Amino acid sequence: MTQRNWIGYAGVAAFAVASIMVPGPFADARETMRERVRERLAQGIGADVGPKVPGGETISYGRDPLQTLDVWHATGDSGAAPLVVFVHGGGWKRGDKDNATGRFKAQHYPAQGYAFASINYRLVPAATVEQQAADVTAAVKALVDRANMLGIDRRRIVLMGHSAGAHLVALVGTDERYLKGAGLSFADISGVIPIDGAAYDVAAQMKDGPPIMQKTYVQAFGTDPARQKGVSPTQQAVAPNARDFLLLYVQRPDGVRQAKALGAALETGGSRVEHGSFPGEGLKGHAEINRSLGDPAYAPTATVDAWLKRVFGK
């Protein structure tokens, strides 16, 4: 990766240049600076993008303090409402529903006639990525079990996730074991919207992705090729899968490459796939597509709205 691209990706030019140029005798200081760069980057991947939107109802779906979700009711009185479930990012090891959902989604989707939920899940290293995917389905099951009380149409549910959350919803949408573990199946999921993920094929991303993220990937996915394949949506995308996918991404080379490969695998597996490719580069573009989704003035919002109307049959 060139220095220009590296700086654009991490958004921390001073730290990056310093960490490369410090001479050999200062190896410890250099590694400390690199670790700070990694932490700054990971903090920006899906985390800390806006305050929690008021008006949601908080539900626990497990015993762990992080196994909670917030749900906002659809506005108006149109009967049982379709449900959009959002999964935050944060490098699998941080992020929170209270600050990583973005400020528009919990207002926009209820106004469109949909219930909207945003979940927390257990984080690496206290939990594995596999347990995180199980948390996603356990949260969905908790909402399904309360469908009548919450005014939700349990037959119309879309999963949406950003960054690490994009990987998790794509994994749930391609490996039915997670849904089955919660007493659900692909028949319970109308569609999946992964937003600017870059780890749909874990081994490929660990080979070709940005060096600054490699430690995060190893922490999340380990070094065993069999495990990496097992948690790679692209590798799991053989029939059956969830029936509809909308892959959203900005112009990060690894994100574009990964989304296109996932889309091709899903189509081979029989899913209907749409792509939404939008302007935006580096960490800034990666954060913006999450922060601004749901803003009527932001182009991806209209793309998602049209897709949801088709998938939900509205």
Side-chain angles (χ1 to χ4, degrees), residues 122-208:
R122 292 169 293 172
L123 301 173
V124 170
T128 65
V129 168
E130 293 89 337
Q131 288 173 318
Q132 293 177 336
D135 280 357
V136 172
T137 58
V140 173
K141 183 61 162 59
L143 290 162
V144 166
D145 288 345
R146 296 166 174 80
N148 291 339
M149 180 177 62
L150 295 172
I152 289 169
D153 183 349
R154 61 151 296 157
R155 299 165 300 176
R156 293 188 289 174
I157 299 173
V158 159
L159 304 180
M160 172 190 289
H162 173 246
S163 195
H167 165 265
L168 291 174
V169 298
L171 183 58
V172 169
T174 53
D175 188 340
E176 198 172 22
R177 290 178 296 176
Y178 295 103
L179 287 162
K180 287 182 175 179
L184 302 170
S185 71
F186 286 143
D188 295 295
I189 303 300
S190 300
V192 184
I193 308 176
I195 304 170
D196 209 52
Y200 305 129
D201 186 328
V202 170
Q205 184 67 352
M206 293 180 74
K207 177 183 177 182
D208 301 327

Side-chain angles (χ1 to χ4, degrees), residues 7-55:
I7 291 171
Y9 196 97
V12 283
F15 269 153
V17 174
S19 69
I20 293 171
M21 298 182 66
V22 172
F26 299 98
D28 289 344
R30 182 168 65 243
E31 180 55 33
T32 297
M33 296 174 82
R34 285 175 177 156
E35 182 61 25
R36 289 176 181 173
V37 171
R38 284 191 287 264
E39 290 300 306
R40 285 279 300 276
L41 178 59
Q43 288 170 4
I45 299 296
D48 194 25
V49 298
K52 179 179 178 179
V53 175

Side-chain angles (χ1 to χ4, degrees), residues 80-142:
L83 171 66
V84 177
V85 179
F86 179 77
V87 182
H88 70 75
W92 300 272
K93 60 183 177 180
R94 55 173 51 82
D96 187 272
K97 64 180 175 56
D98 291 349
N99 60 26
T101 301
R103 69 185 181 91
F104 296 104
K105 298 182 189 71
Q107 297 172 333
H108 178 75
Y109 295 114
Q112 297 294 305
Y114 310 136
F116 178 79
S118 183
I119 78 166
N120 272 347
Y121 51 90
R122 292 169 293 172
L123 301 173
V124 170
T128 65
V129 168
E130 293 89 337
Q131 288 173 318
Q132 293 177 336
D135 280 357
V136 172
T137 58
V140 173
K141 183 61 162 59

